[in-house]
Amino acid sequence: MTTGNLKSQLAGLVKLQALDSEIYALNNEKLAKPEEIRAMEASFEEKKQGLAALEKKVLDLLKQRKDFELELATKEEATKKLQGQLYALKTNKEYSTMLQQIQDSKADASVIEDKILQTFEQTDKIKAETEQEKQKIGGEEKVFLEQKKKAEIRIKEIDDRLAQLEAQRKQILPDIDQKILAQYERILANRDGLAIVTVKDNSCAGCNMFVPPQVINLINMYEHIITCEMCNRMLYVEE
Ligand SMILES: [Zn+2]
């Protein structure tokens, strides 16, 4: 290979690298999108489950209240029955015992009434909480859907840009020697999408490793492709 030839080959690789760097960044951005959407969706779903739990609590309280109401009705029925029996009693002792029973039964009913009242208060509280939560989730759903839409639009933009870049890549490829291209693509795959880097201020722009002057001389001779000892990337010097 002649000197001029390798020089133009490297120039071709530098052009290719500009495209590949953008392709690499875009692919990374695109790959991260589904995970971003999933994370947003998961946090949103979690809140929806919280809301479902609140709604279940309201139903549980309703059931509890019905049980209490049934219990209260039974207790009131029993009180009435005792009161009915009261006048049939013959002795004072029987009478006062029965009165005590009636009082106890009424006290029991009063406790149940308090419990019913409490379920009403709790239900109101949880219903208010549910309403608040619903509004919050409604707002968050809007934000989530907007972000999801944005991500989808961005993915479409990326795909369009990637298609452009691939087309530009195809135009450059025929000018590059197969063996050199194979070496370049091997490094590209192993070194985060960066295969050829410039030497600036005596250091490799890929890994910042010091590049000795004699190596820079070798690069400028264009006899062989020179790679960085540290990161293995191809080196070139800007003119
Ligand atoms: Zn390096």
Side-chain angles (χ1 to χ4, degrees):
M1 192 173 288
T2 66
T3 297
N5 201 354
L6 185 56
K7 194 172 175 180
S8 77
Q9 287 286 308
L10 288 178
L13 287 183
V14 170
K15 269 197 248 171
L16 198 61
Q17 180 65 71
L19 301 176
D20 284 336
S21 289
E22 196 178 340
I23 289 171
Y24 183 81
L26 289 173
N27 274 328
N28 276 351
E29 191 187 340
K30 189 181 159 184
L31 275 174
K33 289 287 171 201
E35 192 40 56
E36 282 172 28
I37 294 173
R38 256 199 300 279
M40 282 190 283
E41 200 159 24
S43 122
F44 177 61
E45 282 303 322
E46 203 177 300
K47 276 165 193 150
K48 277 215 300 211
Q49 277 171 14
L51 181 64
L54 282 177
E55 280 168 344
K56 188 182 174 297
K57 231 178 188 173
V58 171
L59 288 179
D60 287 348
L61 279 168
L62 201 70
K63 193 186 164 296
Q64 216 176 51
R65 192 163 80 217
K66 282 203 172 133
D67 289 346
F68 285 144
E69 279 167 350
L70 210 68
E71 207 184 322
L72 179 64
T74 309
K75 199 50 88 173
E76 281 171 345
E77 196 58 41
T79 308
K80 234 186 251 168
K81 209 172 157 191
L82 290 173
Q83 279 169 331
Q85 291 166 355
L86 201 54
Y87 301 101
L89 296 174
K90 298 194 170 73
T91 67
N92 271 344
K93 189 164 183 293
E94 276 175 333
Y95 190 82
S96 65
T97 303
M98 185 66 86
L99 267 188
Q100 188 56 52
Q101 278 179 350
I102 290 168
Q103 232 172 25
D104 288 348
S105 184
K106 280 184 174 170
D108 287 349
S110 171
V111 168
I112 299 168
E113 274 172 347
D114 281 349
K115 283 182 184 168
I116 291 171
L117 220 62
Q118 274 174 12
T119 64
F120 270 110
E121 281 167 10
Q122 282 173 333
T123 304
D124 284 350
K125 209 177 122 212
I126 293 171
K127 272 187 177 167
E129 227 177 287
T130 306
E131 258 333 291
Q132 260 186 350
E133 202 59 21
K134 260 188 194 164
Q135 279 190 359
K136 225 170 86 187
I137 288 174
E140 278 175 24
E141 183 173 28
K142 224 179 121 194
V143 171
F144 162 67
L145 290 175
E146 274 167 16
Q147 281 174 324
K148 193 178 165 190
K149 184 109 203 257
K150 259 191 210 161
E152 283 162 357
I153 290 170
R154 181 62 189 145
I155 288 172
K156 175 87 180 60
E157 276 175 6
I158 290 173
D159 283 339
D160 291 348
R161 181 65 187 145
L162 282 174
Q164 281 179 354
L165 290 165
E166 282 301 332
Q168 289 175 28
R169 211 175 180 272
K170 280 204 180 100
Q171 287 181 331
I172 299 174
L173 288 185
D175 299 333
I176 297 168
D177 175 79
Q178 285 300 310
K179 261 177 86 178
I180 292 177
L181 184 64
Q183 185 186 355
Y184 167 87
E185 298 208 311
R186 216 170 32 245
I187 302 170
L188 198 69
N190 292 321
R191 287 286 179 269
D192 299 329
L194 193 59
I196 183 164
V197 291
T198 179
V199 177
K200 227 175 189 175
D201 302 325
N202 284 91
S203 62
C204 163
C207 70
N208 289 322
M209 175 76 172
F210 174 71
V211 180
Q214 59 268 36
V215 173
I216 294 175
N217 284 338
L218 284 176
I219 296 169
N220 283 327
M221 283 162 76
Y222 295 107
E223 281 176 3
H224 305 282
I225 289 177
I226 308 298
T227 56
C228 171
E229 271 189 32
M230 187 73 180
C231 71
N232 271 328
R233 292 184 176 99
M234 297 174 174
L235 297 173
Y236 73 100
V237 177
E238 275 178 63
E239 296 195 339

